[in-house]
């Protein structure tokens, strides 16, 4: 797109239909709503309509990578997660560090918008333009540390993984989302993952 700091694409994943698509990031909109947090807010405005409950399939999980994520700038690999919060009923954004934001950017995406509900437990696997919704039955019920280790072994050491544990699967209101089993990314968003039968995202 000719703008430094952006990969230039938004990934949309519909778990109900089991389909994904990539759309170009609008340059003008990105300049008006700066960074991962700003664009997440715009995408939430567009995709989370009034009346959607946190555990409705229509509620969106929106991930954004900061402008400096994936660059050589130190301590700048931030990822943002926006959704309707089960504990407050409001649209909220959480911020986490580590490598998820950078891996999103390197895969070619500034943002991800995940909607719908899978028929069975799944996880999303992203490697550049290869996007797959994979069976998660072998990690469903396991804590986020176990599931992280299993997915890391399956997909290699350079990936970054966002995952939930059994509390999120059971839609506990205060369940957490973790990046690489180290950094929290939403202290009450795990139940939204669980409501979508989404165990993890591997990038």
């Amino acid at each position: 797109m000719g703008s430094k700091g952006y990969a230039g694409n938004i990934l949309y994943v519909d778990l109900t239909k089991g389909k994904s698509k990539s759309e170009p990031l609008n340059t003008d909109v990105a300049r008006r709503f700066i960074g991962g947090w700003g664009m997440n807010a715009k995408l939430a405005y567009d995709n989370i309509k009034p009346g959607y409950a946190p555990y409705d399939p229509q509620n969106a999980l929106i991930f954004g990578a900061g402008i400096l994520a994936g660059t050589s700038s130190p301590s700048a690999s931030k990822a943002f997660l926006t959704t309707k919060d089960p504990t407050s009923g409001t649209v909220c954004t959480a911020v986490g560090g580590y490598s998820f934001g950078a891996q999103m950017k390197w895969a070619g995406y500034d943002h991800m918008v995940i909607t719908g509900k899978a028929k069975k437990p799944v996880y999303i696997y992203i490697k550049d333009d290869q996007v797959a919704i994979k069976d998660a039955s072998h990690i469903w019920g396991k804590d986020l540390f176990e599931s992280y280790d299993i997915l890391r072994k399956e997909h290699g050491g350079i990936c970054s993984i966002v995952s939930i544990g059994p509390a999120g699967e059971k839609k506990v209101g205060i369940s957490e989302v973790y990046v690489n089993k180290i950094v929290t990314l939403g202290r009450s968003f795990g139940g939204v993952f669980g409501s979508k039968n989404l165990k993890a995202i591997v990038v």
Side-chain angles (χ1 to χ4, degrees), residues 63-79:
F63 288 85
I67 291 178
L68 296 178
T71 71
S72 59
S73 181
S75 303
S77 183
K78 301 300 182 185

Side-chain angles (χ1 to χ4, degrees), residues 37-108:
W37 196 311
M39 273 300 298
N40 266 27
K42 179 63 169 71
L43 290 166
Y45 181 83
D46 292 340
N47 291 277
I48 304 176
K49 302 301 182 183
Y52 286 1
Y55 295 152
D56 284 349
Q58 299 96 323
N59 184 28
L61 285 164
I62 302 169
F63 288 85
I67 291 178
L68 296 178
T71 71
S72 59
S73 181
S75 303
S77 183
K78 301 300 182 185
F80 302 84
L81 174 55
T82 303
T83 191
K84 182 163 277 192
D85 177 24
T87 58
S88 68
T90 60
V91 176
C92 299
T93 296
V95 184
Y98 219 72
S99 59
F100 193 77
Q103 292 289 359
M104 275 183 57
K105 191 76 70 68
W106 294 335

Side-chain angles (χ1 to χ4, degrees), residues 124-203:
I124 299 171
Y125 174 73
I126 302 165
K127 184 177 181 181
D128 300 331
D129 57 358
Q130 176 188 353
V131 180
I133 300 172
K134 294 179 172 286
D135 178 44
S137 58
H138 63 305
I139 53 174
W140 196 258
K142 298 185 182 298
D143 66 37
L144 58 89
F145 302 101
E146 292 177 287
S147 57
Y148 169 86
D149 290 338
I150 292 169
L151 292 173
R152 189 70 176 256
K153 185 176 181 180
E154 289 180 4
H155 297 293
I158 62 171
C159 62
S160 186
I161 301 170
V162 167
S163 59
I164 61 168
E169 296 170 6
K170 296 175 182 178
K171 296 181 284 189
V172 175
I174 57 171
S175 56
E176 297 187 357
V177 179
Y178 266 77
V179 179
N180 292 13
K181 69 178 181 181
I182 296 175
V183 178
T184 58
L185 185 58
R187 294 186 180 275
S188 58
F189 295 168
V192 181
F193 272 68
S195 72
K196 298 181 178 301
N197 279 330
L198 179 62
K199 178 67 174 182
I201 304 169
V202 180
V203 182

Side-chain angles (χ1 to χ4, degrees), residues 3-49:
S3 295
K4 294 180 179 179
Y6 292 97
N9 298 290
I10 301 174
L11 178 65
Y12 291 86
V13 180
D14 186 330
L15 294 173
T16 300
K17 296 180 179 178
K19 295 182 178 180
S20 65
K21 64 179 181 179
S22 176
E23 294 186 356
L25 180 69
N26 185 296
T27 306
D28 294 333
V29 174
R31 288 172 177 165
R32 290 174 57 203
F33 298 90
I34 298 173
W37 196 311
M39 273 300 298
N40 266 27
K42 179 63 169 71
L43 290 166
Y45 181 83
D46 292 340
N47 291 277
I48 304 176
K49 302 301 182 183

